Every structure is written in structure tokens, then in C-alpha cells.
Amino acid sequence: MNAQPLISGTDLDRVLAWRADGPRRVGDFLAEAAALAALLPAGGALLNLCQDRYRFALGFAAGLLGGRVSLQPSSQSAETLHDLQAGFPDLVCLVDGDTDCHGLPRFDFPALPAVDRDAVGAVPGIPADRLAAILFTSGSTGKPQAQPKTWGKLVANGRAGAAALGLNGRPHAIVGTVPVQHSYGFESTLLLALHGGCSFWAGKPFYPQDIAAALAAVPAPRLLVTTPFHLSTLLAAGIELPPTDLLLSATAPLSTALAAEAEARTGAPLLEIYGSTESGQLASRRTTAGDAWTLLPGTRIDTDGDTAYAHGAHVEGRVALSDLLEALPDGRFRLVGRHADLVNIAGRRTSLAYLNHQIAAIPGVVDAAFFLPDDAGPDGIARLAAFVVAPGIERRALLAALRERIDAIFLPRPLVLVDALPRNSTGKLPRSGLQALYAEKVGNGRR
């Protein structure tokens, strides 16, 4: 049997997680995971909705030990959960709070019995070809799609991520602002801890003061795993942060200006991760060093026409990517934009990602997003809209600054000033949220 360890390394005394009441070591974790596995009700699929990152990790490990697959949807809406139940009628929801399971079978995280850490003799192995998790796409371009992940590929994913971030030989304590159920949070917090030698903070801080407190609660060197939205909010708060050694961002384009400000304020390099739920993480870059991406060890990207395909290393099969990529002679690539984000107005092409990058780079802009509505204007031509969070800046000044950055044909009509954008818990902006904002602020009229 080709088996991969549940946790890489043999040091049972290594700290795996930090909680408010103290550290949890590998030996503690393995003993508690085995105890939880013995308490879980019968079933083949575990819908792990735990908000505490350590309890999620225990549930994930207990599922692996018991041969269960971990279901990890990007949404916990009633519709999403009922769709999951239709596909997995024997699922059980593992929860650790007042999470609404919408009528699905529920198992509240139990008070675990006292465990004998000394009884753990070694790290158990898991068959590499075992289906360990099923992640789900966000559904931004349709119904969420299941993405099966085998254990061997997840192990390789965690090790590749650690190598790309330079964590091999210098593990960091991770504080993540992103949910562990989602692919980015799953890979860059839990998998980095299980197979990159790192440890993680059990909480999911959101507000700036909570992020600062979480960083202070873990030892150096520290890694903050976050998103452009959370990072921008954190910097705008102006609070003092504990020394941070590395910043990691994903889920949305990050402007060079925000990256430079983050590095100047923290003294830490800021890296971005590129990937998708379908492919897993694929490449990294330091934002302030340029726009080219470097592939993670063992990953490959080929192109066929406008379509790019990822394969190799931890990628499950050969995965078509939703983005347009520009291959560079040195093996790196540039990200042009998403196929779904391409905008063609009067024969001129650009991408929403490019436009969002340009407007976010205007001094004083806190957050912004372009939106192409489904309906055309009275002349039959689609008009771009933009929603901008920029306290103290007038619409006319924003348009003047934007006119210097983009072709006039792509100027938004209308440009709407708002207090906040409808981002979800991972910092993403679902099209449905922008559609609702457009209907509320613009409707059938034009500004």
C-alpha cells in the first residue's frame, strides 16, 4: 500500500496549533483525532462546518482515520447544503457552535475524553489514493462543481506550498483571516501545518484588532494569510501590529500600491498565490517585484489556443483554467484575466481584472470593482459600471484620475460611490452581489 503520513515528520512534540488556552502538539492532536473518530456517528461523508480551525483540523483528521470524505463547500446556504445532501444522503454535519445546518443531520463537536498522548507511538499513514476531500467551486459562473482531492495529492500540495514560500527549514506560525473550508484557507493554513512544518492559530480573526491580537498570541516567525480586502482594512485601521515575517494574499487581484504599503508598514515581504479550487495552488510571486508568476515545484501549464491547462505535481489530472495566461520565455507567466472577465466594447478588448487593478491603484481608493451588466444601453451597447469606496474623493476627480489610466471607451458609466462592496468571507466579490448592488444603486436609470 502506498501510504502518506497524516502529518509529515516524526516529532510528536512539535507544536501544530495554538489556541487561547495554549499550544497543541502533534501527539495531542493525533490522540484527540482518534478519540473524535471513535465518537462520530455512522456515515460516509463528513460536512465539516467547524469555525474553530483546530476543531476543523481534528474533524478532518478523524474523517481520514475513519475512511470518510470531507465535504467543503464554498457556501453554507440552505440551497447549497440541501444540494450536498442530495448527492451524499449519508452525510453528517460536524459543527462547533450555533451554525444552522438547515435540517441536515447534525453532530455537535463533543467534549473529548481525556487522552493519553504517550499512547501515540507514531504518525499514522493514509492510502495515497484515498478520496480525502471534495471541495466545491464558488458557483460564480454556474452551479458549484465538486472537485475531488486524493490524500497523496493533498500531501504534495502542502509540501509544494511550503517550498514556494520558503518555509522549508524555517516553519512559521500561521494566522489566517480566511475560512479553512475554502481551498485557499485549506491549503495555506491547514496543509502548510500538516505537511509544511508550520503551526496555526485556531481562530479566524476578521477585524483589525482581532488580527493584531492573534498575531501577538503566536510566536515568531509569523505568517499572515489574508486577502486584499482584509489587508486593506487592516492597514487603514492604523493600529500597531506585532512583528510579522511574511504576508500571503490570494482570492483577488492585489495592487502594487497596496502591496508596497503593506511591506513598508510591516517590514515583511508580501507574496501572492495563484490557483483555483479545481487545480489547487499553482504559482506564486512577490507583487512588488513584478507581474510574473513562478510555478510551484512540479506543476506545469500548457496552452492550447486561448485555453491554459494545469497538470503535474499535486494537480488532479489535467485541469483547464478559467484565466488567460501569457507564457514568458523563462518559464514564468503573466495573468491577463479571466475568460469570463473579458470585455469587448466597440471592438476593443480588456478584462475586468485589469480595470479593477487600475482603479484600485488610484490614491485614496479603498476598494473598487467594475461591473458589466447584462442589459445594454439605449444604443444597444453595453456600458461598464464601477462601484468605488473612496471616502473624501468626488466622482469627478475619480473619473479624471481613471481617464489617465485606461482607454476612454472603458470609463464607467456610471461610477457609483458606495460605503462598502458586498464581499464574502474570503474577500471575493460574487457577481450576484454586484448585480444586486447595481439593481439597488442604478436600476434602469443611468448616472
Side-chain angles (χ1 to χ4, degrees):
M1 177 186 69
N2 180 18
Q4 292 289 341
L6 179 56
I7 301 174
S8 293
T10 59
D11 184 3
L12 299 180
D13 288 329
R14 175 173 76 85
V15 173
L16 181 71
W18 301 91
R19 304 195 72 194
D21 59 353
R24 294 293 189 275
R25 303 182 185 276
V26 170
D28 302 321
F29 177 80
L30 293 175
E32 291 177 338
L36 178 59
L39 296 174
L40 289 175
L46 191 65
L47 178 54
N48 193 338
L49 302 181
C50 289
Q51 298 303 303
D52 180 285
R53 208 173 300 264
Y54 182 70
R55 287 179 172 173
F56 175 93
L58 283 175
F60 179 77
L64 278 176
L65 294 174
R68 298 169 180 265
V69 62
S70 175
L71 303 179
Q72 298 173 210
S74 60
S75 167
Q76 296 179 15
S77 68
E79 180 182 7
T80 297
L81 297 192
H82 288 143
D83 284 346
L84 282 178
Q85 188 180 36
F88 303 89
D90 62 347
L91 70 77
V92 173
C93 297
L94 178 64
V95 297
D96 63 350
D98 57 0
T99 301
D100 188 352
C101 294
H102 301 288
L104 273 63
R106 176 191 185 102
F107 183 71
D108 287 280
F109 199 96
L112 296 176
V115 295
D116 183 5
R117 175 183 157 195
D118 294 333
V120 178
V123 176
I126 307 296
D129 60 357
R130 175 177 292 174
L131 179 60
I134 300 178
L135 279 65
F136 292 81
T137 60
S138 64
S140 57
T141 58
K143 186 175 181 179
Q145 298 297 310
Q147 305 298 322
K149 308 292 180 180
T150 56
W151 179 241
K153 295 292 189 180
L154 290 180
V155 173
N157 187 317
R159 291 172 179 172
L165 299 178
L167 302 178
N168 291 342
R170 191 169 186 257
H172 287 47
I174 302 169
V175 171
T177 66
V178 289
V180 68
Q181 287 86 357
H182 298 187
S183 56
Y184 171 43
F186 182 58
E187 293 169 335
S188 297
T189 59
L190 182 58
L191 292 187
L192 278 183
L194 295 180
H195 299 292
C198 295
S199 58
F200 63 87
W201 176 247
K204 187 187 70 175
F206 179 84
Y207 296 106
Q209 293 82 357
D210 296 331
I211 296 173
L215 288 168
V218 300
R222 302 178 178 94
L223 163 60
L224 177 61
V225 175
T226 189
T227 70
F229 172 70
H230 293 123
L231 185 62
S232 176
T233 303
L234 177 63
L235 296 179
I239 61 177
E240 184 176 354
L241 296 174
T244 305
D245 301 86
L246 184 62
L247 304 171
L248 185 65
S249 179
T251 75
L254 177 68
S255 72
T256 304
L258 179 58
E261 181 185 358
E263 292 192 345
R265 291 273 299 277
T266 65
L270 189 152
L271 303 181
E272 284 185 272
I273 283 286
Y274 168 74
S276 67
T277 305
E278 298 91 330
S279 66
Q281 53 189 347
L282 294 173
S284 65
R285 70 176 179 182
R286 184 170 180 179
T287 315
T288 56
D291 59 359
W293 295 87
T294 300
L295 290 168
L296 268 61
T299 57
R300 299 288 182 268
I301 291 181
D302 300 325
T303 57
D304 183 0
D306 283 343
T307 303
Y309 296 88
H311 59 97
H314 54 270
V315 181
E316 300 277 0
R318 190 167 185 258
V319 177
L321 303 178
S322 299
D323 297 304
L324 282 172
L325 307 182
E326 177 190 353
L328 300 177
D330 60 2
R332 298 185 298 168
F333 66 88
R334 290 193 183 95
L335 183 61
V336 178
R338 295 181 68 84
H339 288 285
D341 283 352
L342 288 180
V343 176
N344 189 327
I345 298 180
R348 301 290 296 276
R349 291 209 316 171
T350 188
S351 72
L352 294 177
Y354 172 80
L355 296 174
N356 289 340
H357 176 82
Q358 294 301 323
I359 197 168
I362 296 174
V365 171
V366 176
D367 200 6
F370 273 78
F371 177 69
L372 183 63
D374 295 327
D375 60 312
D379 53 4
I381 298 176
R383 300 292 186 189
L384 285 162
F387 300 100
V388 187
V389 181
I393 304 180
E394 294 184 350
R395 184 185 295 107
R396 182 176 297 179
L398 284 172
L399 284 170
L402 192 57
R403 188 174 285 109
E404 297 180 2
R405 291 177 167 271
I406 65 175
D407 193 298
I409 200 168
F410 298 120
L411 286 173
R413 302 177 178 86
L415 185 150
V416 183
L417 297 174
V418 295
D419 294 330
L421 296 183
R423 294 188 180 274
N424 61 23
S425 59
T426 65
K428 290 185 178 181
L429 265 173
R431 178 176 172 80
S432 59
L434 287 175
Q435 182 73 58
L437 188 61
Y438 182 84
E440 175 192 349
K441 299 293 185 180
V442 181
N444 295 323
R446 301 282 173 179
R447 294 188 185 184

